[in-house]
PDB file of all heavy atoms in Angstrom:
ATOM      1  N   ASP A   1       0.828  -1.214   0.000  1.00  0.00           N
ATOM      2  CA  ASP A   1       0.000   0.000   0.000  1.00  0.00           C
ATOM      3  C   ASP A   1       0.859   1.259   0.000  1.00  0.00           C
ATOM      4  O   ASP A   1       0.575   2.208  -0.736  1.00  0.00           O
ATOM      5  CB  ASP A   1      -0.926   0.009   1.215  1.00  0.00           C
ATOM      6  CG  ASP A   1      -2.027  -1.036   1.119  1.00  0.00           C
ATOM      7  OD1 ASP A   1      -2.281  -1.519  -0.005  1.00  0.00           O
ATOM      8  OD2 ASP A   1      -2.623  -1.366   2.160  1.00  0.00           O
ATOM      9  N   SER A   2       1.901   1.286   0.821  1.00  0.00           N
ATOM     10  CA  SER A   2       2.764   2.466   0.880  1.00  0.00           C
ATOM     11  C   SER A   2       3.562   2.610  -0.414  1.00  0.00           C
ATOM     12  O   SER A   2       3.786   3.730  -0.897  1.00  0.00           O
ATOM     13  CB  SER A   2       3.703   2.395   2.088  1.00  0.00           C
ATOM     14  OG  SER A   2       4.480   1.214   2.064  1.00  0.00           O
ATOM     15  N   TYR A   3       3.971   1.491  -0.988  1.00  0.00           N
ATOM     16  CA  TYR A   3       4.691   1.528  -2.269  1.00  0.00           C
ATOM     17  C   TYR A   3       3.800   2.123  -3.355  1.00  0.00           C
ATOM     18  O   TYR A   3       4.215   3.004  -4.115  1.00  0.00           O
ATOM     19  CB  TYR A   3       5.133   0.113  -2.647  1.00  0.00           C
ATOM     20  CG  TYR A   3       5.785   0.021  -4.007  1.00  0.00           C
ATOM     21  CD1 TYR A   3       7.142   0.242  -4.164  1.00  0.00           C
ATOM     22  CD2 TYR A   3       5.026  -0.282  -5.146  1.00  0.00           C
ATOM     23  CE1 TYR A   3       7.747   0.160  -5.416  1.00  0.00           C
ATOM     24  CE2 TYR A   3       5.622  -0.367  -6.384  1.00  0.00           C
ATOM     25  CZ  TYR A   3       6.977  -0.145  -6.518  1.00  0.00           C
ATOM     26  OH  TYR A   3       7.564  -0.216  -7.751  1.00  0.00           O
ATOM     27  N   LYS A   4       2.551   1.672  -3.429  1.00  0.00           N
ATOM     28  CA  LYS A   4       1.618   2.178  -4.433  1.00  0.00           C
ATOM     29  C   LYS A   4       1.371   3.674  -4.239  1.00  0.00           C
ATOM     30  O   LYS A   4       1.323   4.434  -5.215  1.00  0.00           O
ATOM     31  CB  LYS A   4       0.296   1.417  -4.352  1.00  0.00           C
ATOM     32  CG  LYS A   4      -0.740   1.858  -5.379  1.00  0.00           C
ATOM     33  CD  LYS A   4      -2.018   1.048  -5.251  1.00  0.00           C
ATOM     34  CE  LYS A   4      -3.022   1.466  -6.337  1.00  0.00           C
ATOM     35  NZ  LYS A   4      -3.383   2.884  -6.258  1.00  0.00           N
ATOM     36  N   ALA A   5       1.226   4.093  -2.970  1.00  0.00           N
ATOM     37  CA  ALA A   5       1.002   5.516  -2.693  1.00  0.00           C
ATOM     38  C   ALA A   5       2.191   6.351  -3.158  1.00  0.00           C
ATOM     39  O   ALA A   5       2.015   7.433  -3.736  1.00  0.00           O
ATOM     40  CB  ALA A   5       0.761   5.721  -1.197  1.00  0.00           C
ATOM     41  N   ALA A   6       3.398   5.839  -2.928  1.00  0.00           N
ATOM     42  CA  ALA A   6       4.600   6.571  -3.343  1.00  0.00           C
ATOM     43  C   ALA A   6       4.666   6.695  -4.859  1.00  0.00           C
ATOM     44  O   ALA A   6       4.983   7.769  -5.393  1.00  0.00           O
ATOM     45  CB  ALA A   6       5.847   5.867  -2.809  1.00  0.00           C
ATOM     46  N   VAL A   7       4.363   5.615  -5.571  1.00  0.00           N
ATOM     47  CA  VAL A   7       4.382   5.657  -7.033  1.00  0.00           C
ATOM     48  C   VAL A   7       3.329   6.640  -7.555  1.00  0.00           C
ATOM     49  O   VAL A   7       3.584   7.406  -8.493  1.00  0.00           O
ATOM     50  CB  VAL A   7       4.162   4.245  -7.625  1.00  0.00           C
ATOM     51  CG1 VAL A   7       3.953   4.320  -9.139  1.00  0.00           C
ATOM     52  CG2 VAL A   7       5.339   3.344  -7.301  1.00  0.00           C
ATOM     53  N   ASP A   8       2.159   6.651  -6.932  1.00  0.00           N
ATOM     54  CA  ASP A   8       1.111   7.600  -7.329  1.00  0.00           C
ATOM     55  C   ASP A   8       1.582   9.038  -7.138  1.00  0.00           C
ATOM     56  O   ASP A   8       1.351   9.896  -8.000  1.00  0.00           O
ATOM     57  CB  ASP A   8      -0.162   7.359  -6.519  1.00  0.00           C
ATOM     58  CG  ASP A   8      -0.891   6.083  -6.927  1.00  0.00           C
ATOM     59  OD1 ASP A   8      -0.570   5.540  -8.008  1.00  0.00           O
ATOM     60  OD2 ASP A   8      -1.750   5.615  -6.155  1.00  0.00           O
ATOM     61  N   PHE A   9       2.243   9.312  -6.008  1.00  0.00           N
ATOM     62  CA  PHE A   9       2.781  10.653  -5.748  1.00  0.00           C
ATOM     63  C   PHE A   9       3.784  11.035  -6.826  1.00  0.00           C
ATOM     64  O   PHE A   9       3.778  12.157  -7.337  1.00  0.00           O
ATOM     65  CB  PHE A   9       3.445  10.695  -4.367  1.00  0.00           C
ATOM     66  CG  PHE A   9       2.525  11.092  -3.246  1.00  0.00           C
ATOM     67  CD1 PHE A   9       1.323  10.454  -3.051  1.00  0.00           C
ATOM     68  CD2 PHE A   9       2.879  12.102  -2.372  1.00  0.00           C
ATOM     69  CE1 PHE A   9       0.477  10.814  -2.014  1.00  0.00           C
ATOM     70  CE2 PHE A   9       2.047  12.484  -1.345  1.00  0.00           C
ATOM     71  CZ  PHE A   9       0.833  11.831  -1.159  1.00  0.00           C
ATOM     72  N   LEU A  10       4.673  10.107  -7.153  1.00  0.00           N
ATOM     73  CA  LEU A  10       5.707  10.383  -8.160  1.00  0.00           C
ATOM     74  C   LEU A  10       5.083  10.690  -9.517  1.00  0.00           C
ATOM     75  O   LEU A  10       5.509  11.619 -10.215  1.00  0.00           O
ATOM     76  CB  LEU A  10       6.654   9.187  -8.275  1.00  0.00           C
ATOM     77  CG  LEU A  10       7.557   8.931  -7.065  1.00  0.00           C
ATOM     78  CD1 LEU A  10       8.206   7.555  -7.160  1.00  0.00           C
ATOM     79  CD2 LEU A  10       8.626  10.009  -6.940  1.00  0.00           C
ATOM     80  N   ARG A  11       4.069   9.929  -9.871  1.00  0.00           N
ATOM     81  CA  ARG A  11       3.403  10.157 -11.158  1.00  0.00           C
ATOM     82  C   ARG A  11       2.679  11.494 -11.198  1.00  0.00           C
ATOM     83  O   ARG A  11       2.476  12.056 -12.276  1.00  0.00           O
ATOM     84  CB  ARG A  11       2.431   9.012 -11.442  1.00  0.00           C
ATOM     85  CG  ARG A  11       3.143   7.717 -11.850  1.00  0.00           C
ATOM     86  CD  ARG A  11       2.170   6.572 -11.979  1.00  0.00           C
ATOM     87  NE  ARG A  11       2.818   5.400 -12.575  1.00  0.00           N
ATOM     88  CZ  ARG A  11       2.327   4.171 -12.508  1.00  0.00           C
ATOM     89  NH1 ARG A  11       1.186   3.932 -11.871  1.00  0.00           N
ATOM     90  NH2 ARG A  11       2.967   3.168 -13.087  1.00  0.00           N
ATOM     91  N   ARG A  12       2.301  11.993 -10.033  1.00  0.00           N
ATOM     92  CA  ARG A  12       1.643  13.300  -9.968  1.00  0.00           C
ATOM     93  C   ARG A  12       2.660  14.443  -9.902  1.00  0.00           C
ATOM     94  O   ARG A  12       2.284  15.592  -9.746  1.00  0.00           O
ATOM     95  CB  ARG A  12       0.709  13.369  -8.751  1.00  0.00           C
ATOM     96  CG  ARG A  12      -0.459  12.401  -8.817  1.00  0.00           C
ATOM     97  CD  ARG A  12      -1.616  12.846  -7.946  1.00  0.00           C
ATOM     98  NE  ARG A  12      -1.257  12.999  -6.550  1.00  0.00           N
ATOM     99  CZ  ARG A  12      -1.401  12.041  -5.625  1.00  0.00           C
ATOM    100  NH1 ARG A  12      -1.861  10.848  -5.979  1.00  0.00           N
ATOM    101  NH2 ARG A  12      -1.083  12.268  -4.373  1.00  0.00           N
ATOM    102  N   GLY A  13       3.953  14.102  -9.992  1.00  0.00           N
ATOM    103  CA  GLY A  13       4.976  15.136 -10.031  1.00  0.00           C
ATOM    104  C   GLY A  13       5.559  15.530  -8.699  1.00  0.00           C
ATOM    105  O   GLY A  13       6.183  16.582  -8.575  1.00  0.00           O
ATOM    106  N   GLU A  14       5.391  14.685  -7.676  1.00  0.00           N
ATOM    107  CA  GLU A  14       5.901  14.992  -6.340  1.00  0.00           C
ATOM    108  C   GLU A  14       7.333  14.478  -6.172  1.00  0.00           C
ATOM    109  O   GLU A  14       7.781  13.566  -6.873  1.00  0.00           O
ATOM    110  CB  GLU A  14       5.018  14.346  -5.272  1.00  0.00           C
ATOM    111  CG  GLU A  14       3.582  14.844  -5.234  1.00  0.00           C
ATOM    112  CD  GLU A  14       3.427  16.120  -4.431  1.00  0.00           C
ATOM    113  OE1 GLU A  14       4.451  16.717  -4.035  1.00  0.00           O
ATOM    114  OE2 GLU A  14       2.279  16.521  -4.193  1.00  0.00           O
ATOM    115  N   LEU A  15       8.032  15.061  -5.195  1.00  0.00           N
ATOM    116  CA  LEU A  15       9.325  14.548  -4.741  1.00  0.00           C
ATOM    117  C   LEU A  15       9.057  13.627  -3.560  1.00  0.00           C
ATOM    118  O   LEU A  15       8.430  14.038  -2.586  1.00  0.00           O
ATOM    119  CB  LEU A  15      10.246  15.693  -4.306  1.00  0.00           C
ATOM    120  CG  LEU A  15      10.558  16.769  -5.342  1.00  0.00           C
ATOM    121  CD1 LEU A  15      11.405  17.873  -4.705  1.00  0.00           C
ATOM    122  CD2 LEU A  15      11.272  16.178  -6.552  1.00  0.00           C
ATOM    123  N   VAL A  16       9.519  12.390  -3.638  1.00  0.00           N
ATOM    124  CA  VAL A  16       9.279  11.417  -2.572  1.00  0.00           C
ATOM    125  C   VAL A  16      10.607  11.030  -1.926  1.00  0.00           C
ATOM    126  O   VAL A  16      11.514  10.535  -2.607  1.00  0.00           O
ATOM    127  CB  VAL A  16       8.557  10.159  -3.110  1.00  0.00           C
ATOM    128  CG1 VAL A  16       8.444   9.100  -2.014  1.00  0.00           C
ATOM    129  CG2 VAL A  16       7.170  10.527  -3.632  1.00  0.00           C
ATOM    130  N   GLY A  17      10.718  11.267  -0.623  1.00  0.00           N
ATOM    131  CA  GLY A  17      11.936  10.962   0.114  1.00  0.00           C
ATOM    132  C   GLY A  17      11.950   9.526   0.613  1.00  0.00           C
ATOM    133  O   GLY A  17      10.999   9.084   1.263  1.00  0.00           O
ATOM    134  N   VAL A  18      13.024   8.810   0.313  1.00  0.00           N
ATOM    135  CA  VAL A  18      13.141   7.394   0.653  1.00  0.00           C
ATOM    136  C   VAL A  18      14.496   7.132   1.302  1.00  0.00           C
ATOM    137  O   VAL A  18      15.514   7.712   0.896  1.00  0.00           O
ATOM    138  CB  VAL A  18      13.019   6.520  -0.620  1.00  0.00           C
ATOM    139  CG1 VAL A  18      13.173   5.048  -0.290  1.00  0.00           C
ATOM    140  CG2 VAL A  18      11.694   6.766  -1.318  1.00  0.00           C
ATOM    141  N   TYR A  19      14.500   6.237   2.296  1.00  0.00           N
ATOM    142  CA  TYR A  19      15.752   5.779   2.900  1.00  0.00           C
ATOM    143  C   TYR A  19      16.015   4.355   2.407  1.00  0.00           C
ATOM    144  O   TYR A  19      15.446   3.400   2.939  1.00  0.00           O
ATOM    145  CB  TYR A  19      15.661   5.785   4.426  1.00  0.00           C
ATOM    146  CG  TYR A  19      15.622   7.157   5.022  1.00  0.00           C
ATOM    147  CD1 TYR A  19      14.427   7.709   5.478  1.00  0.00           C
ATOM    148  CD2 TYR A  19      16.779   7.921   5.123  1.00  0.00           C
ATOM    149  CE1 TYR A  19      14.390   8.981   6.017  1.00  0.00           C
ATOM    150  CE2 TYR A  19      16.750   9.200   5.669  1.00  0.00           C
ATOM    151  CZ  TYR A  19      15.551   9.718   6.112  1.00  0.00           C
ATOM    152  OH  TYR A  19      15.511  10.982   6.642  1.00  0.00           O
ATOM    153  N   PRO A  20      16.871   4.178   1.396  1.00  0.00           N
ATOM    154  CA  PRO A  20      17.101   2.833   0.854  1.00  0.00           C
ATOM    155  C   PRO A  20      17.670   1.850   1.874  1.00  0.00           C
ATOM    156  O   PRO A  20      17.527   0.641   1.707  1.00  0.00           O
ATOM    157  CB  PRO A  20      18.104   3.079  -0.284  1.00  0.00           C
ATOM    158  CG  PRO A  20      17.930   4.516  -0.649  1.00  0.00           C
ATOM    159  CD  PRO A  20      17.600   5.210   0.638  1.00  0.00           C
ATOM    160  N   GLU A  21      18.327   2.366   2.928  1.00  0.00           N
ATOM    161  CA  GLU A  21      18.878   1.478   3.953  1.00  0.00           C
ATOM    162  C   GLU A  21      17.796   0.934   4.878  1.00  0.00           C
ATOM    163  O   GLU A  21      18.038  -0.027   5.614  1.00  0.00           O
ATOM    164  CB  GLU A  21      19.926   2.219   4.783  1.00  0.00           C
ATOM    165  CG  GLU A  21      21.137   2.675   3.987  1.00  0.00           C
ATOM    166  CD  GLU A  21      21.958   3.718   4.724  1.00  0.00           C
ATOM    167  OE1 GLU A  21      21.493   4.881   4.826  1.00  0.00           O
ATOM    168  OE2 GLU A  21      23.059   3.377   5.192  1.00  0.00           O
ATOM    169  N   ALA A  22      16.638   1.607   4.898  1.00  0.00           N
ATOM    170  CA  ALA A  22      15.465   1.209   5.700  1.00  0.00           C
ATOM    171  C   ALA A  22      15.618   1.515   7.195  1.00  0.00           C
ATOM    172  O   ALA A  22      14.649   1.860   7.855  1.00  0.00           O
ATOM    173  CB  ALA A  22      15.115  -0.261   5.498  1.00  0.00           C
ATOM    174  N   THR A  23      16.814   1.384   7.733  1.00  0.00           N
ATOM    175  CA  THR A  23      17.043   1.674   9.155  1.00  0.00           C
ATOM    176  C   THR A  23      18.300   2.534   9.311  1.00  0.00           C
ATOM    177  O   THR A  23      19.113   2.631   8.389  1.00  0.00           O
ATOM    178  CB  THR A  23      17.225   0.387   9.974  1.00  0.00           C
ATOM    179  OG1 THR A  23      18.363  -0.332   9.468  1.00  0.00           O
ATOM    180  CG2 THR A  23      16.002  -0.503   9.893  1.00  0.00           C
ATOM    181  N   ILE A  24      18.436   3.119  10.489  1.00  0.00           N
ATOM    182  CA  ILE A  24      19.617   3.926  10.785  1.00  0.00           C
ATOM    183  C   ILE A  24      20.869   3.054  10.744  1.00  0.00           C
ATOM    184  O   ILE A  24      20.892   1.941  11.279  1.00  0.00           O
ATOM    185  CB  ILE A  24      19.480   4.595  12.168  1.00  0.00           C
ATOM    186  CG1 ILE A  24      18.429   5.710  12.107  1.00  0.00           C
ATOM    187  CG2 ILE A  24      20.817   5.157  12.663  1.00  0.00           C
ATOM    188  CD1 ILE A  24      18.133   6.338  13.460  1.00  0.00           C
ATOM    189  N   SER A  25      21.903   3.570  10.122  1.00  0.00           N
ATOM    190  CA  SER A  25      23.180   2.862  10.064  1.00  0.00           C
ATOM    191  C   SER A  25      23.987   3.160  11.325  1.00  0.00           C
ATOM    192  O   SER A  25      24.440   4.281  11.530  1.00  0.00           O
ATOM    193  CB  SER A  25      23.982   3.298   8.831  1.00  0.00           C
ATOM    194  OG  SER A  25      25.280   2.749   8.865  1.00  0.00           O
ATOM    195  N   ARG A  26      24.165   2.169  12.178  1.00  0.00           N
ATOM    196  CA  ARG A  26      24.921   2.376  13.423  1.00  0.00           C
ATOM    197  C   ARG A  26      26.401   2.579  13.154  1.00  0.00           C
ATOM    198  O   ARG A  26      27.120   3.138  13.987  1.00  0.00           O
ATOM    199  CB  ARG A  26      24.754   1.163  14.344  1.00  0.00           C
ATOM    200  CG  ARG A  26      23.338   0.881  14.785  1.00  0.00           C
ATOM    201  CD  ARG A  26      23.390  -0.226  15.824  1.00  0.00           C
ATOM    202  NE  ARG A  26      22.184  -1.008  15.850  1.00  0.00           N
ATOM    203  CZ  ARG A  26      21.532  -1.326  16.968  1.00  0.00           C
ATOM    204  NH1 ARG A  26      21.985  -0.904  18.131  1.00  0.00           N
ATOM    205  NH2 ARG A  26      20.461  -2.069  16.933  1.00  0.00           N
ATOM    206  N   SER A  27      26.867   2.117  12.013  1.00  0.00           N
ATOM    207  CA  SER A  27      28.280   2.285  11.674  1.00  0.00           C
ATOM    208  C   SER A  27      28.516   3.643  11.019  1.00  0.00           C
ATOM    209  O   SER A  27      29.663   4.078  10.883  1.00  0.00           O
ATOM    210  CB  SER A  27      28.740   1.179  10.714  1.00  0.00           C
ATOM    211  OG  SER A  27      28.123   1.338   9.446  1.00  0.00           O
ATOM    212  N   PHE A  28      27.416   4.285  10.588  1.00  0.00           N
ATOM    213  CA  PHE A  28      27.437   5.556   9.860  1.00  0.00           C
ATOM    214  C   PHE A  28      28.044   5.407   8.469  1.00  0.00           C
ATOM    215  O   PHE A  28      28.278   6.398   7.788  1.00  0.00           O
ATOM    216  CB  PHE A  28      28.130   6.661  10.668  1.00  0.00           C
ATOM    217  CG  PHE A  28      27.616   6.745  12.075  1.00  0.00           C
ATOM    218  CD1 PHE A  28      28.473   6.589  13.161  1.00  0.00           C
ATOM    219  CD2 PHE A  28      26.274   6.935  12.322  1.00  0.00           C
ATOM    220  CE1 PHE A  28      27.994   6.631  14.461  1.00  0.00           C
ATOM    221  CE2 PHE A  28      25.777   6.975  13.627  1.00  0.00           C
ATOM    222  CZ  PHE A  28      26.639   6.826  14.701  1.00  0.00           C
ATOM    223  N   GLU A  29      28.263   4.143   8.064  1.00  0.00           N
ATOM    224  CA  GLU A  29      28.627   3.835   6.690  1.00  0.00           C
ATOM    225  C   GLU A  29      27.325   3.554   5.931  1.00  0.00           C
ATOM    226  O   GLU A  29      26.262   3.390   6.537  1.00  0.00           O
ATOM    227  CB  GLU A  29      29.537   2.602   6.628  1.00  0.00           C
ATOM    228  CG  GLU A  29      30.783   2.674   7.486  1.00  0.00           C
ATOM    229  CD  GLU A  29      31.900   3.521   6.868  1.00  0.00           C
ATOM    230  OE1 GLU A  29      31.630   4.235   5.872  1.00  0.00           O
ATOM    231  OE2 GLU A  29      33.033   3.465   7.383  1.00  0.00           O
ATOM    232  N   ILE A  30      27.398   3.470   4.602  1.00  0.00           N
ATOM    233  CA  ILE A  30      26.220   3.156   3.812  1.00  0.00           C
ATOM    234  C   ILE A  30      25.924   1.658   3.916  1.00  0.00           C
ATOM    235  O   ILE A  30      26.744   0.822   3.536  1.00  0.00           O
ATOM    236  CB  ILE A  30      26.418   3.533   2.331  1.00  0.00           C
ATOM    237  CG1 ILE A  30      26.753   5.027   2.184  1.00  0.00           C
ATOM    238  CG2 ILE A  30      25.182   3.175   1.523  1.00  0.00           C
ATOM    239  CD1 ILE A  30      25.628   5.977   2.439  1.00  0.00           C
ATOM    240  N   LYS A  31      24.746   1.330   4.455  1.00  0.00           N
ATOM    241  CA  LYS A  31      24.343  -0.061   4.574  1.00  0.00           C
ATOM    242  C   LYS A  31      23.887  -0.617   3.227  1.00  0.00           C
ATOM    243  O   LYS A  31      23.772   0.117   2.240  1.00  0.00           O
ATOM    244  CB  LYS A  31      23.160  -0.175   5.564  1.00  0.00           C
ATOM    245  CG  LYS A  31      23.504   0.056   7.010  1.00  0.00           C
ATOM    246  CD  LYS A  31      22.262   0.225   7.874  1.00  0.00           C
ATOM    247  CE  LYS A  31      21.303  -0.925   7.790  1.00  0.00           C
ATOM    248  NZ  LYS A  31      21.817  -2.143   8.470  1.00  0.00           N
ATOM    249  N   GLU A  32      23.599  -1.917   3.211  1.00  0.00           N
ATOM    250  CA  GLU A  32      23.000  -2.528   2.031  1.00  0.00           C
ATOM    251  C   GLU A  32      21.646  -1.876   1.756  1.00  0.00           C
ATOM    252  O   GLU A  32      20.917  -1.519   2.684  1.00  0.00           O
ATOM    253  CB  GLU A  32      22.826  -4.032   2.263  1.00  0.00           C
ATOM    254  CG  GLU A  32      22.263  -4.785   1.074  1.00  0.00           C
ATOM    255  CD  GLU A  32      22.120  -6.271   1.347  1.00  0.00           C
ATOM    256  OE1 GLU A  32      22.601  -6.738   2.397  1.00  0.00           O
ATOM    257  OE2 GLU A  32      21.522  -6.959   0.498  1.00  0.00           O
ATOM    258  N   PHE A  33      21.316  -1.702   0.466  1.00  0.00           N
ATOM    259  CA  PHE A  33      20.072  -1.036   0.089  1.00  0.00           C
ATOM    260  C   PHE A  33      18.956  -2.033  -0.196  1.00  0.00           C
ATOM    261  O   PHE A  33      19.183  -3.110  -0.756  1.00  0.00           O
ATOM    262  CB  PHE A  33      20.279  -0.197  -1.181  1.00  0.00           C
ATOM    263  CG  PHE A  33      20.946   1.132  -0.950  1.00  0.00           C
ATOM    264  CD1 PHE A  33      21.351   1.532   0.316  1.00  0.00           C
ATOM    265  CD2 PHE A  33      21.164   1.997  -2.016  1.00  0.00           C
ATOM    266  CE1 PHE A  33      21.965   2.755   0.515  1.00  0.00           C
ATOM    267  CE2 PHE A  33      21.773   3.223  -1.833  1.00  0.00           C
ATOM    268  CZ  PHE A  33      22.176   3.612  -0.557  1.00  0.00           C
ATOM    269  N   LYS A  34      17.728  -1.635   0.152  1.00  0.00           N
ATOM    270  CA  LYS A  34      16.539  -2.301  -0.349  1.00  0.00           C
ATOM    271  C   LYS A  34      16.305  -1.799  -1.778  1.00  0.00           C
ATOM    272  O   LYS A  34      16.795  -0.744  -2.174  1.00  0.00           O
ATOM    273  CB  LYS A  34      15.330  -1.983   0.533  1.00  0.00           C
ATOM    274  CG  LYS A  34      15.519  -2.293   2.010  1.00  0.00           C
ATOM    275  CD  LYS A  34      15.643  -3.779   2.260  1.00  0.00           C
ATOM    276  CE  LYS A  34      15.696  -4.064   3.755  1.00  0.00           C
ATOM    277  NZ  LYS A  34      15.874  -5.504   4.049  1.00  0.00           N
ATOM    278  N   SER A  35      15.502  -2.508  -2.543  1.00  0.00           N
ATOM    279  CA  SER A  35      15.308  -2.159  -3.949  1.00  0.00           C
ATOM    280  C   SER A  35      14.126  -1.231  -4.199  1.00  0.00           C
ATOM    281  O   SER A  35      13.865  -0.849  -5.348  1.00  0.00           O
ATOM    282  CB  SER A  35      15.124  -3.436  -4.779  1.00  0.00           C
ATOM    283  OG  SER A  35      13.925  -4.115  -4.392  1.00  0.00           O
ATOM    284  N   GLY A  36      13.411  -0.846  -3.133  1.00  0.00           N
ATOM    285  CA  GLY A  36      12.191  -0.064  -3.305  1.00  0.00           C
ATOM    286  C   GLY A  36      12.374   1.233  -4.066  1.00  0.00           C
ATOM    287  O   GLY A  36      11.561   1.573  -4.936  1.00  0.00           O
ATOM    288  N   ALA A  37      13.434   1.983  -3.755  1.00  0.00           N
ATOM    289  CA  ALA A  37      13.662   3.271  -4.422  1.00  0.00           C
ATOM    290  C   ALA A  37      13.821   3.072  -5.925  1.00  0.00           C
ATOM    291  O   ALA A  37      13.245   3.818  -6.739  1.00  0.00           O
ATOM    292  CB  ALA A  37      14.896   3.952  -3.844  1.00  0.00           C
ATOM    293  N   ALA A  38      14.580   2.057  -6.313  1.00  0.00           N
ATOM    294  CA  ALA A  38      14.793   1.782  -7.734  1.00  0.00           C
ATOM    295  C   ALA A  38      13.504   1.338  -8.404  1.00  0.00           C
ATOM    296  O   ALA A  38      13.171   1.793  -9.510  1.00  0.00           O
ATOM    297  CB  ALA A  38      15.881   0.712  -7.903  1.00  0.00           C
ATOM    298  N   ARG A  39      12.756   0.446  -7.748  1.00  0.00           N
ATOM    299  CA  ARG A  39      11.522  -0.054  -8.350  1.00  0.00           C
ATOM    300  C   ARG A  39      10.503   1.067  -8.539  1.00  0.00           C
ATOM    301  O   ARG A  39       9.801   1.121  -9.562  1.00  0.00           O
ATOM    302  CB  ARG A  39      10.953  -1.183  -7.499  1.00  0.00           C
ATOM    303  CG  ARG A  39      11.782  -2.455  -7.562  1.00  0.00           C
ATOM    304  CD  ARG A  39      11.152  -3.626  -6.837  1.00  0.00           C
ATOM    305  NE  ARG A  39      11.137  -3.453  -5.395  1.00  0.00           N
ATOM    306  CZ  ARG A  39      10.060  -3.230  -4.662  1.00  0.00           C
ATOM    307  NH1 ARG A  39       8.868  -3.151  -5.252  1.00  0.00           N
ATOM    308  NH2 ARG A  39      10.134  -3.105  -3.358  1.00  0.00           N
ATOM    309  N   MET A  40      10.418   1.987  -7.562  1.00  0.00           N
ATOM    310  CA  MET A  40       9.509   3.139  -7.694  1.00  0.00           C
ATOM    311  C   MET A  40       9.886   4.002  -8.887  1.00  0.00           C
ATOM    312  O   MET A  40       9.028   4.433  -9.665  1.00  0.00           O
ATOM    313  CB  MET A  40       9.608   4.027  -6.449  1.00  0.00           C
ATOM    314  CG  MET A  40       8.945   3.539  -5.239  1.00  0.00           C
ATOM    315  SD  MET A  40       9.321   4.678  -3.895  1.00  0.00           S
ATOM    316  CE  MET A  40       9.070   3.545  -2.558  1.00  0.00           C
ATOM    317  N   ALA A  41      11.178   4.304  -8.992  1.00  0.00           N
ATOM    318  CA  ALA A  41      11.650   5.158 -10.078  1.00  0.00           C
ATOM    319  C   ALA A  41      11.344   4.538 -11.431  1.00  0.00           C
ATOM    320  O   ALA A  41      10.907   5.228 -12.366  1.00  0.00           O
ATOM    321  CB  ALA A  41      13.144   5.415  -9.929  1.00  0.00           C
ATOM    322  N   ILE A  42      11.563   3.225 -11.548  1.00  0.00           N
ATOM    323  CA  ILE A  42      11.302   2.529 -12.805  1.00  0.00           C
ATOM    324  C   ILE A  42       9.810   2.552 -13.133  1.00  0.00           C
ATOM    325  O   ILE A  42       9.403   2.881 -14.253  1.00  0.00           O
ATOM    326  CB  ILE A  42      11.820   1.080 -12.736  1.00  0.00           C
ATOM    327  CG1 ILE A  42      13.352   1.063 -12.668  1.00  0.00           C
ATOM    328  CG2 ILE A  42      11.320   0.267 -13.927  1.00  0.00           C
ATOM    329  CD1 ILE A  42      13.944  -0.291 -12.301  1.00  0.00           C
ATOM    330  N   GLU A  43       8.978   2.234 -12.138  1.00  0.00           N
ATOM    331  CA  GLU A  43       7.534   2.156 -12.387  1.00  0.00           C
ATOM    332  C   GLU A  43       6.939   3.523 -12.714  1.00  0.00           C
ATOM    333  O   GLU A  43       6.054   3.633 -13.573  1.00  0.00           O
ATOM    334  CB  GLU A  43       6.823   1.544 -11.183  1.00  0.00           C
ATOM    335  CG  GLU A  43       5.358   1.256 -11.436  1.00  0.00           C
ATOM    336  CD  GLU A  43       4.733   0.369 -10.371  1.00  0.00           C
ATOM    337  OE1 GLU A  43       5.474  -0.327  -9.652  1.00  0.00           O
ATOM    338  OE2 GLU A  43       3.486   0.384 -10.277  1.00  0.00           O
ATOM    339  N   ALA A  44       7.402   4.566 -12.028  1.00  0.00           N
ATOM    340  CA  ALA A  44       6.869   5.912 -12.264  1.00  0.00           C
ATOM    341  C   ALA A  44       7.609   6.642 -13.380  1.00  0.00           C
ATOM    342  O   ALA A  44       7.201   7.736 -13.782  1.00  0.00           O
ATOM    343  CB  ALA A  44       6.936   6.728 -10.974  1.00  0.00           C
TER     344      ALA A  44
END
């Protein structure tokens, strides 16, 4: 549901802020990314 809402926002011309790491990085290095940001960009 949240993914669909984000794609709808993007298609309407909005800027959607996403954290690809999903959680705070305790090491303060870049953690492994989830694919949601990429999939949204492709779909929209």
